[in-house]
Structures are given as C-alpha cells and as structure tokens.
Amino acid sequence: GQNIDQPTEMTATEGAIVQINCTYQTSGFNGLFWYQQHAGEAPTFLSYNVLDGLEEKGRFSSFLSRSKGYSYLLLKELQMKDSASYLCAVRAPKAAGNKLTFGGGTRVLVKP
Amino acid sequence: DVKVTQSSRYLVKRTGEKVFLECVQDMDHENMFWYRQDPGLGLRLIYFSYDVKMKEKGDIPEGYSVSREKKERFSLILESASTNQTSMYLCASLTSGSSYNEQFFGPGTRLTVL
C-alpha cells in the first residue's frame, strides 16, 4: 500500500524560511515530486528527487532520504506569492505504470 | 510549450446524466492520468493509461470509466452522475522516455452534480 504524510498547514512570515516535511511508506519507489498549487489552479512542478541528497533550485530546495522514507521542501526568502498548497508525491516504478501517489498537501500561509 | 488541455473549466450536470470529461495533450506522452481533488482528501487517482486502448484502475475507479482511442486523448466518463462526484477533476500526462519524468497537469474541470 501507499501512505504519504505531510502537515496540513503551516504559517510563516515574509522573508523567512519554511520547511515542509513529507514521510512515505510505499510498496515501490521511483522518485519523489513536489508540486505547488495555488487555490483554484492546477499543480505546477517544483522539484524531483530520485537519489538521496539535496537539490537546490533558486529559493526552493528539496531533500530526499530513501532509507528513512523522508523528504522535505525548503522555501527560502518567502514571498507573499508563495502562499499556496505544496503537494508531495511518490512515483511508482515503470512496471506499475509510473503513477504518482499524492499526500494530502500542506497549505502554507505567508504573512507580512 | 507543453500543453494539457481539458474540455471545460466548469460544468454543471444533473444526477443520472452521463458526463464526458475530455483531456488532450500535445507532447506525445504515453501515460495519461485522471485524478479528482477534494478538500482534506488531496489528489486521488481514478484511472490511468500507459498506451492507446490500455487502461488501469487507480485508487477510486468506482462510478467511472475511461477511453483512450488515440494517444493524445484520454476521456473520463461518468455513466450516471451522482452528487458525491461533485469535485475538481485533473488530467495529467507524462512520458516514459527518460528517467526524469515530470507529470504535467491540465487546468482542471470543476464539476458540480445537482
């Protein structure tokens, strides 16, 4: 089975740093994705990790530890436009159709 | 620019009606997916397809069927719509061609069943 957990909601101040954790227990693993979703819009891709370690992309970084079933998304220098939901998703192996299983999403509210 | 399009952004239907949601991608992707998204439940996979005329059940296929007659088009069908199928429906596609696979989403269809 698949189980992906992330906090429901987080609040942070403009200019600060926020770390969104994601833990997973899945029957197969072929990469972990982070998506951003603004209210009423489709999710947009942020990052992809398949090997352990940190991937940095501008203000956003994503970390993966496969042995611990753990990832985090780090948002630095928060801006008001970063207020959104952040979705963690684990991809199944190709033999299982490459399908993504999503966590419930973490709603981040950035305050002035 | 990669593109996944869905036939409607908003749709209102009555209980018992047959509903078709269409999704088209122009990226020549093999894999296509239909999700529904509900508050507090996140994105849940309904059906997916990894090739033309192939389909696989996702986590919540009951009450739905799909059709993939052409590679670029993946249709979701509600044979007899019910109020508990009121939701946001998202289509997505991705390629199988490399180890790095970003799944692209369409804009979503917000379906209301009265």
Side-chain angles (χ1 to χ4, degrees):
Chain A
Q2 316 282 77
N3 191 36
I4 300 170
D5 289 314
Q6 48 182 133
T8 306
E9 197 167 292
M10 302 179 76
T11 301
T13 306
E14 195 175 13
I17 297 173
V18 70
Q19 177 174 315
I20 307 169
N21 295 324
C22 172
T23 58
Y24 62 90
Q25 299 99 38
T26 56
S27 52
F29 180 85
N30 191 24
L32 187 142
F33 289 80
W34 284 96
Y35 282 83
Q36 179 191 60
Q37 186 178 27
H38 285 100
E41 297 181 10
T44 54
F45 170 80
L46 286 179
S47 69
Y48 170 76
N49 295 70
V50 67
L51 300 176
D52 290 350
L54 186 68
E55 295 277 345
E56 296 188 79
K57 203 190 250 188
R59 293 189 299 114
F60 293 0
S61 304
S62 57
F63 171 83
L64 176 67
S65 169
R66 288 171 296 169
S67 62
K68 294 182 180 177
Y70 168 70
S71 172
Y72 68 73
L73 179 71
L74 196 69
L75 286 63
K76 294 178 272 191
E77 300 168 23
L78 278 172
Q79 301 176 9
M80 298 300 290
K81 67 179 182 179
D82 297 330
S83 290
S85 288
Y86 293 85
L87 312 177
C88 169
V90 172
R91 188 177 70 176
K94 188 174 180 179
N98 280 312
K99 61 179 185 175
L100 297 189
T101 300
F102 285 83
T106 300
R107 189 176 164 196
V108 171
L109 178 62
V110 180
K111 293 186 172 178
Chain B
D1 221 17
V2 296
K3 269 285 168 55
V4 181
T5 56
Q6 296 182 226
S7 49
S8 307
R9 289 301 304 271
Y10 300 94
L11 208 53
V12 180
K13 296 290 181 181
R14 297 208 173 273
T15 301
E17 280 193 80
K18 190 168 186 175
V19 182
F20 291 88
L21 302 182
E22 304 284 344
C23 175
V24 177
Q25 50 94 4
D26 64 359
M27 296 165 283
D28 202 35
H29 285 173
E30 295 84 3
N31 305 280
M32 296 186 75
F33 305 81
W34 273 107
Y35 296 89
R36 63 177 283 177
Q37 187 174 31
D38 302 286
L41 296 175
L43 274 158
R44 293 180 292 165
L45 182 64
I46 305 171
Y47 265 97
F48 66 102
S49 168
Y50 52 87
D51 202 351
V52 176
K53 297 194 185 292
M54 304 302 289
K55 59 185 179 184
E56 292 284 342
K57 291 180 180 179
D59 300 317
I60 50 162
E62 296 78 20
Y64 303 94
S65 62
V66 290
S67 172
R68 185 118 181 251
E69 295 297 316
K70 294 184 178 181
K71 191 176 186 180
E72 66 271 19
R73 187 180 297 269
F74 192 36
S75 303
L76 180 69
I77 303 153
L78 287 66
E79 292 290 341
S80 178
S82 62
T83 55
N84 63 13
Q85 291 178 310
T86 291
S87 186
M88 169 70 93
Y89 289 87
L90 288 157
C91 174
S93 75
L94 85 163
T95 183
S96 298
S98 71
S99 60
Y100 169 74
N101 292 143
E102 177 183 341
Q103 188 173 81
F104 295 91
F105 284 88
T109 296
R110 186 166 291 283
L111 173 67
T112 302
V113 183
L114 302 175

